[in-house]
Amino acid sequence: MKLEDGIRLHESVKVELETYARSTGNKIVKPFVLVIARDTTHAAQLLATIQSDAFFEGRYKDKALQVDSSRSGAEEEEMISRLLKVESTDEPTEIVIHVNMLKEGWDVTNLFTPSFRSGRRMPGS
């Protein structure tokens, strides 16, 4: 339920940012969602849920990225490359799932992290 609430908020923010950019002639700011998983197993489960046809009618099937230690070699390089370009409008990723890997050294400007309790957005977040 919290994940779905977060995606609904993401979709609302995305529309507002696109509307603002069009009406002011400013560059579009691409928002994305950061999902924190308990461990790599949980991250894989979240990714499978997000990539399913049942989750928002499959709209996020190719828009999620799992970032954790379960990747190595070419998969790890692709993961890092996508992560570094996540703010680019050319990069399709809108959901980043991570397991305690993004503590420091990752500079992004478009990350909004709302607070959730019982699956509902808290006032002021």
Side-chain angles (χ1 to χ4, degrees):
M1 182 182 286
K2 289 181 184 182
L3 183 58
E4 289 176 2
D5 284 350
I7 297 305
R8 282 187 196 93
L9 179 60
H10 167 70
E11 289 182 343
S12 174
V13 168
K14 186 176 173 181
V15 168
E16 289 178 26
L17 288 170
E18 289 173 357
T19 301
Y20 175 79
R22 270 187 257 132
S23 68
T24 62
N26 287 312
K27 180 180 170 186
I28 291 179
V29 173
K30 179 189 163 201
F32 66 96
V33 177
L34 183 64
V35 179
I36 303 169
R38 290 184 302 269
D39 53 35
T40 56
T41 301
H42 184 226
Q45 291 169 342
L46 288 167
L47 182 64
T49 297
I50 291 166
Q51 290 179 331
S52 74
D53 290 331
F55 189 79
F56 287 85
E57 300 170 343
R59 287 196 304 267
Y60 293 93
K61 190 173 288 230
D62 298 322
K63 297 180 180 184
L65 174 64
Q66 181 179 339
V67 178
D68 59 40
S69 61
S70 68
R71 310 281 187 248
S72 62
E75 282 185 336
E76 181 180 30
E77 288 178 27
E78 179 187 352
M79 172 188 72
I80 292 169
S81 175
R82 285 181 64 190
L83 183 62
L84 293 174
K85 296 185 280 187
V86 74
E87 291 182 291
S88 170
T89 55
D90 296 335
E91 168 52 52
T93 302
E94 292 185 36
I95 303 170
V96 175
I97 304 164
H98 85 93
V99 179
N100 208 21
M101 287 188 65
L102 304 177
K103 295 185 214 172
E104 56 188 57
W106 185 43
D107 186 20
V108 295
T109 56
N110 303 332
L111 178 62
F112 173 69
T113 54
S115 299
F116 293 99
R117 179 179 294 153
S118 301
R120 296 210 169 113
R121 194 166 147 235
M122 296 182 66
S125 61

